[in-house]
Amino acid sequence: MYEQVAHSLLNDILNRIKPEICQQDLRHFYTRLGANFYAIHSLFEKLYGERDDFEQQMLSLVETMAKRYIQRSDELRQRDLQREKDHNWFLSQKWVGMALYCKGFADDLPGLRGRLNYFQELGVNLIHVMPIMPCPEGSSDGGYAVSDFQKIDPRIGTLQNLNDLAGEMRQREILLVLDVVVNHTSNRHYWAEQARSGNPVYQDYYYTFTTRSVPDMFEQSMPEIFPENAPGNFTWDEEMGRWVMTVFNDYQWDLNYSNPAVFIEMLNIILFWANQGADILRLDAVAFLWKKIGSTCQNEREAHLILQVLKDCCQVTAPGVLFIAEAIVAPGEVSKYFGEDAVIAKECEIAYNATLMALLWDAVATKNTRLLNQGIRSLPIKLERATWLNYVRCHDDIGLGFDDRDILHADYHPLEHRKFLIDYFTGRFAESHARGLPFGQNHKTGDARISGSLASLVGLEYALELGDERAIDDAIKLILLLHSLIMSFGGIPLLYYGDALGTLNDDSYRDDPEKKGDTRWVHRPAIDWQKAARRNTPGSIEYKIFSALKRMIAVRKEIAVFADFNNRELLDVQNPHLFVFGRYPLHHQQGHVLVVANFNRKPQHLAFDDLGTWKPRHGRPVDLYKGESPDIFNRSLVIPGFSFYWLEVS
Ligand code: GLC
Ligand code: GLC
């Protein structure tokens, strides 16, 4: 878009830009800057246009983008160009991800590099390495309390190690995902130290107050994220003599994005990691980026504007790099993080599908799919060039973030139903085999979330203790059932390290004073590679899970309609234990696939009459996963307990 005011400002900026920048070959940089400048300018103006130094800040923004472009390697620039050509590359069904802690998975970065075969054995070709930047000992929040954004924790490795890893991953065609913790810093970050010592420039990087009056106003509408360990949203810093906003733990200081200097610093850091070879950056806690008195300080419009400028700027410097939004918020809010418009208001290409995740767990507990079906039906349509990250477990807790209206629609009482789910997963409910732990219990609101490893939550730990073969079998079936859905739903499936091996809860965190107050550590294991070797021993639990997932991944990659082009139709079927959806090809191709999942322990039937146009045309449909045809009885498909089908129906 050509608009006079923005363009004449751009001319000014290009005149004033530093000579060392001008001398470079910046052709691609300038065409992209020209294309995005109008959007960048108007968004930046909405956020910071009132300031006297606005034009100076714009200049500094453009210089930041240009400097990072100059530092970008030829190899990465080439990849940018390829991806600009094939801009929907990430919607393909060929991608399958895994999230892991470097330390827990392989000790350090060289160790991780040494284990790349493991991913290829399983079929995983996208690896999210959770934060590897330095954090103060004892107050790290598992890597999310960063004290230096451009270094690597020396215990994990060096920047050179990371570059080597990224290089080898590129050769193997495995994508690298890294975190940028955009919402807050550690209280030991340089900026925080400066603020503490009284430097007003850095005090303005955070929200600090000499009295309680503003904090008290904020508190009236802000929920508590960690009510047990870090109640309230402000912390008194004795040395600074000020209150500072700390939405998460008291040692995580929220950054003040109403200050453009903060925005530019964080853009610089995002581009730094893009230049280290990350294909995708996971932006942590993005819902929290803007704070406003009288609001929950989540999902504010300005938080979206910030993400839009970050995206536009990243497209100028490193257009091949994608963003993941980590926004674990209400179903109606999540899809807004894709942006509202593919050209002028784009945000993150990928977002965590926390809605599907929580709904799947509801179906596990209730053994029916009433809420799952209802919740998916109310999931808003997303932009075309956007996709979900579908997951069953991750390093965080499971929040029961359903919409109350959906719970009512499914004929439950919201409060009672949530209580049932907590009781179920913490094993308090009589018939439950789950071994989860409560997380973030809020005695004021009655709220709680759930920690626990996948295997322990679906009853494997319980079954092993009892030596109950049938229960062991059920737990394994549930693990596979849940994965069959994240692999077929549409989006990038993200496995959690350890889950492909049936890793149980790890109670050792209780002996560590840094960890014992945070139950999420129960599901952040160190992989036992001797046990992992059993994945090659037929008959072992590790083998049963690993080999099945390996097959599932291989089959997924061959099913073209599993790519995410919003080509999914949810089917309304009579049987309340089933979750059924169809994946259809675009442009009248062949290859419709019907996905059927049974959350009940007993076999269920799916009447052909429920299937409408999805009714199998000729004879018996074939399940692409097993390669066999399911049983048919009385014009119904028979679906064994805790099982799924991926049926080819045309
Ligand atoms: C994100 C992380 C979580 C962390 C929080 C605060 O939600 O996933 O682990 O505690 O941000 O940084
Ligand atoms: C994230 C999520 C919240 C989660 C927390 C810690 O910011 O919004 O749901 O519980 O981090 O795990």
Side-chain angles (χ1 to χ4, degrees):
M1 167 135 30
Y2 182 89
E3 188 268 344
Q4 280 78 10
V5 176
H7 203 82
S8 87
L9 175 62
L10 179 57
N11 289 339
D12 279 354
I13 288 175
L14 296 181
N15 280 329
R16 286 163 64 196
I17 218 158
K18 298 208 174 85
E20 65 270 24
I21 294 179
C22 299
Q23 281 154 15
Q24 309 276 337
D25 173 11
L26 301 182
R27 271 175 305 162
H28 292 298
F29 176 80
Y30 284 133
T31 53
R32 292 171 189 144
L33 182 63
N36 272 3
F37 193 75
Y38 171 75
I40 293 173
H41 175 253
S42 50
L43 290 164
F44 209 64
E45 194 177 33
K46 273 186 204 148
L47 288 164
Y48 309 115
E50 301 285 289
R51 296 174 58 108
D52 293 340
D53 64 350
F54 174 71
E55 291 193 4
Q56 185 56 40
Q57 298 289 354
M58 275 300 299
L59 170 65
S60 149
L61 185 70
V62 174
E63 279 183 351
T64 302
M65 289 186 268
K67 280 191 205 144
R68 289 295 187 209
Y69 179 78
I70 291 167
Q71 288 161 3
R72 194 157 173 77
S73 72
D74 285 339
E75 199 185 348
L76 295 180
R77 287 187 193 180
Q78 279 308 319
R79 208 179 34 175
D80 289 336
L81 292 171
Q82 281 160 15
R83 288 185 180 164
E84 281 183 313
K85 237 185 217 165
D86 179 21
H87 56 270
N88 281 341
W89 63 274
F90 62 98
L91 304 178
S92 159
Q93 80 284 3
K94 303 271 179 193
W95 301 115
V96 176
M98 182 180 285
L100 53 87
Y101 282 102
C102 184
K103 200 159 182 299
F105 187 83
D107 291 329
D108 54 16
L109 289 169
L112 180 57
R113 190 176 167 196
R115 294 238 177 251
L116 288 177
N117 283 343
Y118 175 82
F119 301 101
Q120 286 180 306
E121 187 188 334
L122 185 57
V124 163
N125 52 11
L126 175 156
I127 307 176
H128 171 206
V129 183
M130 278 183 286
I132 49 180
M133 290 118 233
C135 292
E137 192 99 38
S139 44
S140 71
D141 193 22
Y144 289 93
V146 177
S147 55
D148 189 335
F149 283 119
Q150 296 186 45
K151 286 215 177 90
I152 290 180
D153 179 346
R155 290 168 302 183
I156 291 186
T158 61
L159 279 174
Q160 188 55 51
N161 294 152
L162 180 71
N163 277 285
D164 294 344
L165 174 70
E168 184 162 346
M169 285 173 68
R170 261 196 305 284
Q171 274 170 13
R172 294 184 187 230
E173 294 181 34
I174 303 176
L175 302 175
L176 175 62
V177 184
L178 293 178
D179 277 83
V180 182
V181 186
V182 283
N183 177 67
H184 43 259
T185 75
S186 153
N187 62 347
R188 295 289 158 201
H189 190 281
Y190 172 78
W191 305 335
E193 300 285 14
Q194 282 294 310
R196 190 174 291 114
S197 70
N199 185 339
V201 171
Y202 288 100
Q203 283 181 353
D204 202 25
Y205 272 41
Y206 302 96
Y207 298 96
T208 69
F209 308 93
T210 47
T211 69
R212 276 298 304 187
S213 91
V214 176
D216 283 343
M217 283 191 266
F218 268 115
E219 289 288 15
Q220 289 177 30
S221 52
M222 286 175 91
E224 293 175 307
I225 305 301
F226 294 147
E228 292 164 306
N229 296 336
N233 290 286
F234 294 85
T235 302
W236 174 254
D237 189 273
E238 193 57 51
E239 224 179 304
M240 182 164 62
R242 281 172 170 263
W243 292 95
V244 57
M245 186 185 281
T246 53
V247 169
F248 293 89
N249 288 297
D250 57 11
Y251 52 80
Q252 289 166 304
W253 288 17
D254 285 67
L255 284 164
N256 170 13
Y257 277 88
S258 71
N259 176 358
V262 167
F263 179 93
I264 294 169
E265 295 265 22
M266 294 315 289
L267 172 67
N268 190 37
I269 288 157
I270 285 176
L271 298 177
F272 172 81
W273 291 106
N275 282 352
Q276 302 309 312
D279 295 280
I280 304 178
L281 294 170
R282 173 191 184 275
L283 306 184
D284 184 61
V286 289
F288 296 83
L289 292 180
W290 196 267
K291 317 298 200 280
K292 208 178 270 170
I293 291 174
S295 77
T296 58
C297 298
Q298 292 182 40
N299 309 315
E300 287 299 312
R301 183 177 130 73
E302 288 83 352
H304 288 285
L305 299 181
I306 288 167
L307 290 169
Q308 287 166 23
V309 204
L310 286 175
K311 180 79 269 182
D312 284 333
C313 294
C314 185
Q315 275 185 339
V316 174
T317 298
V321 173
L322 307 182
F323 289 167
I324 297 177
E326 193 252 350
I328 313 302
V329 294
E333 294 293 335
V334 187
S335 53
K336 296 185 186 161
Y337 289 89
F338 293 124
E340 281 157 42
D341 181 287
V343 179
I344 55 161
K346 48 201 183 295
E347 297 183 21
C348 301
E349 291 85 352
I350 306 171
Y352 277 79
N353 197 347
T355 308
L356 175 65
M357 182 276 297
L359 289 166
L360 289 174
W361 284 108
D362 184 273
V364 170
T366 59
K367 310 214 169 18
N368 75 61
T369 57
R370 273 149 55 194
L371 186 54
L372 173 58
N373 273 301
Q374 179 58 38
I376 294 303
R377 205 157 285 133
S378 350
L379 201 66
I381 299 290
K382 58 182 169 55
L383 283 188
E384 253 170 45
R385 193 176 166 270
T387 199
W388 294 115
L389 206 54
N390 292 320
Y391 63 113
V392 179
R393 285 302 288 118
C394 72
H395 69 293
D396 280 332
D397 44 291
I398 301 171
L400 307 177
F402 321 110
D403 194 315
D404 280 357
R405 281 163 302 189
D406 288 337
I407 303 185
L408 288 165
H409 247 110
D411 273 337
Y412 302 116
H413 183 279
L415 218 74
E416 280 165 24
H417 190 63
R418 288 204 169 84
K419 184 170 178 316
F420 158 73
L421 292 173
I422 304 283
D423 286 348
Y424 184 90
F425 286 113
T426 53
R428 274 176 288 196
F429 183 75
E431 286 154 50
S432 161
H433 296 181
R435 285 284 167 84
L437 297 167
F439 175 79
Q441 275 180 304
N442 188 330
H443 299 291
K444 283 168 257 176
T445 60
D447 235 19
R449 285 112 76 187
I450 297 146
S451 290
S453 78
L454 168 61
S456 292
L457 287 172
V458 296
L460 186 59
E461 192 176 329
Y462 164 95
L464 285 170
E465 268 167 31
L466 257 68
D468 180 338
E469 287 300 327
R470 169 107 200 251
I472 292 175
D473 221 46
D474 282 348
I476 295 175
K477 280 186 190 154
L478 272 169
I479 291 174
L480 301 181
L481 174 67
L482 291 166
H483 280 94
S484 79
L485 292 169
I486 62 167
M487 295 222 202
S488 57
F489 186 77
I492 302 172
L494 185 73
L495 281 65
Y496 186 56
Y497 81 117
D499 286 352
L501 301 163
T503 307
L504 304 178
N505 281 352
D506 172 8
D507 292 325
S508 65
Y509 77 100
R510 294 201 178 113
D511 307 325
D512 183 334
E514 181 192 344
K515 297 177 178 164
K516 69 169 188 241
D518 187 334
T519 57
R520 289 176 300 170
W521 287 102
V522 82
H523 57 252
R524 296 173 175 178
I527 297 295
D528 174 347
W529 285 101
Q530 261 170 11
K531 190 169 161 290
R534 286 190 227 147
R535 69 186 183 278
N536 299 315
T537 309
S540 71
I541 289 174
E542 291 79 5
Y543 176 88
K544 285 182 187 161
I545 300 173
F546 191 90
S547 60
L549 288 178
K550 183 172 163 176
R551 174 174 181 93
M552 224 185 267
I553 291 171
V555 174
R556 162 184 158 92
K557 291 182 180 176
E558 294 307 313
I559 301 181
V561 288
F562 281 0
D564 187 13
F565 290 96
N566 287 335
N567 50 332
R568 180 184 54 248
E569 182 186 337
L570 189 64
L571 271 74
D572 205 359
V573 301
Q574 298 297 312
N575 189 324
H577 305 288
L578 303 179
F579 185 46
V580 184
F581 57 84
R583 301 297 314 274
Y584 53 86
L586 303 175
H587 324 297
H588 316 288
Q589 292 145 338
Q590 291 276 301
H592 289 67
V593 173
L594 187 70
V595 175
V596 184
N598 175 8
F599 277 88
N600 200 278
R601 193 173 185 210
K602 303 207 177 86
Q604 300 294 323
H605 63 91
L606 171 59
F608 278 148
D609 287 345
D610 279 357
L611 293 178
T613 56
W614 289 91
K615 203 182 304 181
R617 295 280 153 75
H618 326 279
R620 298 169 63 194
V622 175
D623 171 24
L624 295 169
Y625 170 69
K626 284 214 176 93
E628 296 164 2
S629 290
D631 288 331
I632 292 173
F633 180 75
N634 253 348
R635 293 188 39 76
S636 293
L637 283 172
V638 180
I639 305 105
F642 296 145
S643 306
F644 70 95
Y645 291 135
W646 290 348
L647 298 174
E648 190 169 34
V649 292
S650 67

